[in-house]
Structures are given as C-alpha cells and as structure tokens.
Amino acid sequence: QQQVKQSPQSLIVQKGGISIINCAYENTAFDYFPWYQQFPGKGPALLIAIRPDVSEKKEGRFTISFNKSAKQFSLHIMDSQSGDSATYFCAARIFGNEKLTFGTGTRLTIIP
Amino acid sequence: GAGVSQSPRYKVAKRGQDVALRCDPISGHVSLFWYQQALGQGPEFLTYFQNEAQLDKSGLPSDRFFAERPEGSVSTLKIQRTQQEDSAVYLCASSLSNPTMNTEAFFGQGTRLTVV
C-alpha cells in the first residue's frame, strides 16, 4: 500500500517559471512532511518541511502548501533555475517515529 | 568527515554471493537508518537503530537481510545469497534523534548494488 502518492512523475519547466509538485497521503497519523532534493549519484537532502498546524511555509524560492482536510501538500519552486534540475521526493513521518515514508519522486528539468 | 559516509560506492555481486555494506554516521548521531532505493523509485525504509539497539526492522524484505550496529556508531548491512531483485541503491541516514522536534535525517551518497 503506497501511503504517499506523488505527481507528476516528471516535469519540465522553463527557466524563471513556477514548478509545482503534488503529494497526497492516507495515514492521518502523519504529522511531519519534509521535501527532499536528490541529485544524480547523491543521497536525498532536506529542502523544506512543514507541520500540519500551518497551511504554508516559505523558505526563499521554495514554498510548501498544506491542506489537512484534503490530506494533500505541494511544493512550489518560484523563479525556477537550472540548478533546481533534480529529483524531488515528498515524505511523511508519524510523530515520535523517525521512519520516513517517501513518495515515488518527481524528476524536474529546467530548460532555458 | 562532516557527513554520512558509505562504502563501497559501487558493488557488483554475482547471484548467490554475500555482501556487506558499511555506513559511518555523523559523529554524535544517535539514530541510524537504512533505506533501499530501487531505480526510479523513492527510498523505502529497511531498518532503524537507536545507538546499538535495532528498534525497527520491519522493512527488511527477507531473512537474507541483516543489519548491525554493535558499538552504536558504524553500521553494516549484510545481504546473504544475493538475488537480482536486491539490485538497488542502499542509503544510510543518521540523525540526532529527537523525533518530537522533527530532527533532520542526513543521508549518505548510497551504495549502488548490482547483482549479476
């Protein structure tokens, strides 16, 4: 059973545009939702994370939007740059449990 | 080093061979995790240690998989009698272990295992 569903599988965005990646979860016990960025040959690195007590969190060009009632959250990358080309994973974790459940990933390509 | 270190980076094993993958976590990190990442997929949890105690091994796919962290620092993931379906990147992560404060997990670069 896939507990965190991620879409799209791949995404092509023009430089300067907005990249949007969506995730949906099933387990209402999840209460911490991080996004990870992974470059080829590297391990995932934490990008930004949110708790469900807020609907939005912004860090620089990266914003997480969270809809608790719909059990959905999304990553928005504003003014997308070539260096943002990578694979992005959403994830979820239950309070008090450090195990992460990952989505299937989105391969983002920024084109000139 | 400053980050999580894994070795070897690449491992090719013949089907049926035993392999051992090593993880050196960030110094002082209490929690250590192993994840398996198949090609084009997200990482999937294998097992979790807090110091030397293996608190969760629910993700280990079969009894051919075994992990240890005898002194609460370096960890080894061992796969016995490797099968082709074991081919994947094996990621190790460590954290300071305060889940109530959502401490960050830092990942290593992974070991790419190919079983031929």
Side-chain angles (χ1 to χ4, degrees), chain A residues 21-85:
Chain A
I21 304 170
N22 301 298
C23 282
Y25 63 97
E26 299 169 3
N27 189 344
T28 55
F30 287 141
D31 83 327
Y32 175 68
F33 302 89
W35 284 89
Y36 283 82
Q37 180 187 58
Q38 186 176 31
F39 293 104
K42 304 291 185 183
L46 180 66
L47 194 61
I48 185 172
I50 196 168
R51 294 286 304 274
D53 51 349
V54 296
S55 60
E56 187 175 281
K57 182 173 181 180
K58 183 175 181 179
E59 289 183 1
R61 297 185 295 110
F62 301 93
T63 300
I64 300 178
S65 297
F66 189 86
N67 185 329
K68 188 174 181 178
S69 60
K71 292 188 287 185
Q72 295 175 346
F73 59 109
S74 61
L75 175 69
H76 296 234
I77 305 174
M78 312 298 287
D79 187 26
S80 299
Q81 301 297 310
S82 57
D84 297 331
S85 294

Side-chain angles (χ1 to χ4, degrees), chain B residues 24-83:
Chain B
D24 280 89
I26 294 172
S27 178
H29 278 194
V30 172
S31 292
L32 185 144
F33 311 82
W34 284 98
Y35 289 84
Q36 181 191 58
Q37 186 174 24
L39 189 63
Q41 299 297 314
E44 292 199 359
F45 172 81
L46 293 177
T47 187
Y48 159 55
F49 290 85
Q50 191 166 87
N51 295 307
E52 68 278 5
Q54 189 174 19
L55 299 186
D56 187 346
K57 54 182 181 179
S58 61
L60 296 176
S62 77
D63 58 7
R64 296 186 296 103
F65 286 71
F66 172 75
E68 60 183 6
R69 194 186 185 198
E71 298 178 357
S73 178
V74 171
S75 177
T76 304
L77 176 67
K78 297 179 180 177
I79 309 173
Q80 297 177 323
R81 305 182 303 281
T82 52
Q83 303 295 315

